[in-house]
Amino acid sequence: MAKNVKNRKLTIFISTLYCSLFFSSSLFAFQKGSTEDFLGHEVGITYHTAEQAVSSKEYLPVYPEEGTPEFEADKIAYLHGYNLKGTERWQQAIQDADLHIANVAKIFSQSLGITISPETTPTLYKMFGDLLVDSADNATKTAKEFYMRKRPFVYFGNHSCQPIEEEDRLRQNGSFPSGHTAYGWTLALVLAQIAPSHAETIIKRGYEFGQSRVICGAHWQTDVNAGRIVGAVEYSKLQTIAKFQEDLRKASEEINQQYSLLK
């Protein structure tokens, strides 16, 4: 009997310890401020929350309504992009649609002339993930959720340059402003700040990154134009954040180290 009581006490102790470890680790993994990127990956605490972002709904102009000359221009821009289907530029739009950090790092590595990776530029690579959350999601959130604009590929009843399963997600997400564009423009401005000697090629690629969304059929031209405004506002917001400034300094050192190796 005494042995059974002792075994029960031991079982209760182990169970209690297990539960304690489980809940404490869960709380750590999903601590306040922890968030996910566009692809649903847990990335931890970024530079700011959605609530701390400058509200895009409050400063963006309203997108053009159907029947206006501006909306007709949006439709013409869409049709121009759709006619590029199968071309080299269409293939670039497909590449730009992929927001996996390894892919985006590869895209901007070409503009920088060095390799952005977890091994060569760990701080900068992590910044790519944090900025995806802050610029593409947090900074666009209020306008996207308020307007819930229908995307062009849905309006025209065509497919975009993205996979069918991705189109299903896009249908549930507002078109105005473009999160892809906000992200690409923020990255371009940050990278041009880090590597001013390559600013022209970086900014050009950042511009193309946004235009790819029109060619892809995922966004109207006015969505992309608004996305660039959001990206610029986000870039300005980041300049006021001490953690960003610290990471920017480290990333600059990493880039300069890579350039020195090329010499």
Side-chain angles (χ1 to χ4, degrees):
M1 174 68 76
K3 185 177 180 180
N4 290 338
V5 171
K6 185 176 181 181
N7 286 340
R8 281 199 299 271
K9 286 182 178 180
L10 181 60
T11 301
I12 293 171
F13 172 77
I14 293 173
S15 299
T16 303
L17 179 62
Y18 174 83
C19 290
S20 175
L21 289 171
F22 174 81
F23 284 112
S24 63
S25 62
S26 297
L27 287 171
F28 179 79
F30 298 98
Q31 59 187 294
K32 182 176 175 59
S34 187
T35 187
E36 294 179 345
D37 65 14
F38 253 39
L39 306 168
H41 300 148
E42 183 70 21
V43 296
I45 299 173
T46 57
Y47 296 114
H48 62 79
T49 65
E51 291 72 26
Q52 293 168 335
V54 182
S55 175
S56 52
K57 174 181 171 291
E58 299 304 320
Y59 64 79
L60 285 176
V62 179
Y63 64 84
E65 295 183 1
E66 192 166 359
T68 63
E70 293 80 7
F71 186 70
E72 291 303 311
D74 264 352
K75 291 198 291 186
I76 291 170
Y78 166 80
L79 293 172
H80 173 72
Y82 194 73
N83 286 334
L84 293 174
K85 210 169 185 181
T87 67
E88 186 177 336
R89 186 62 183 88
W90 178 267
Q91 293 303 316
Q92 181 181 323
I94 293 175
Q95 181 189 20
D96 290 350
D98 181 359
L99 287 179
H100 286 89
I101 302 306
N103 180 65
V104 181
K106 180 180 178 182
I107 289 171
F108 283 97
S109 289
Q110 296 170 353
S111 301
L112 279 167
I114 54 95
T115 299
I116 302 169
S117 72
E119 295 76 28
T120 59
T121 57
T123 301
L124 182 58
Y125 192 85
K126 184 179 185 305
M127 289 175 74
F128 269 53
D130 291 344
L131 294 176
L132 174 59
V133 174
D134 289 341
S135 59
D137 191 5
N138 291 342
T140 63
K141 186 179 180 66
T142 55
K144 269 185 174 289
E145 292 184 351
F146 181 79
Y147 293 113
M148 284 301 294
R149 188 184 191 186
K150 185 183 293 185
R151 292 176 184 270
F153 78 89
V154 178
Y155 178 89
F156 283 98
N158 295 325
H159 287 297
S160 70
C161 73
Q162 297 183 243
I164 299 297
E165 59 272 17
E166 182 63 13
E167 288 185 353
D168 292 338
R169 186 190 70 79
L170 291 175
R171 285 188 176 90
Q172 308 304 316
N173 185 269
S175 187
F176 178 86
S178 166
H180 271 74
T181 303
Y183 177 48
W185 200 238
T186 300
L187 278 182
L189 292 173
V190 169
L191 293 173
Q193 182 179 2
I194 294 174
S197 60
H198 290 68
E200 291 86 355
T201 56
I202 293 168
I203 295 297
K204 182 176 185 292
R205 192 63 182 89
Y207 183 87
E208 292 174 352
F209 194 84
Q211 284 305 115
S212 286
R213 301 309 286 159
V214 180
I215 294 168
C216 185
H219 283 286
W220 304 99
Q221 183 64 59
T222 46
D223 300 337
V224 168
N225 296 344
R228 292 194 182 104
I229 296 174
V230 175
V233 172
E234 175 63 20
Y235 173 73
S236 179
K237 167 76 177 178
L238 290 167
Q239 303 305 315
T240 69
I241 299 172
K243 181 62 170 70
F244 172 79
Q245 292 298 325
E246 179 186 345
D247 286 351
L248 190 70
R249 178 184 58 78
K250 293 178 181 177
S252 296
E253 292 174 355
E254 292 171 351
I255 291 294
N256 289 332
Q257 173 66 18
Q258 292 303 305
Y259 284 144
S260 67
L261 291 175
L262 292 177
K263 295 177 183 178

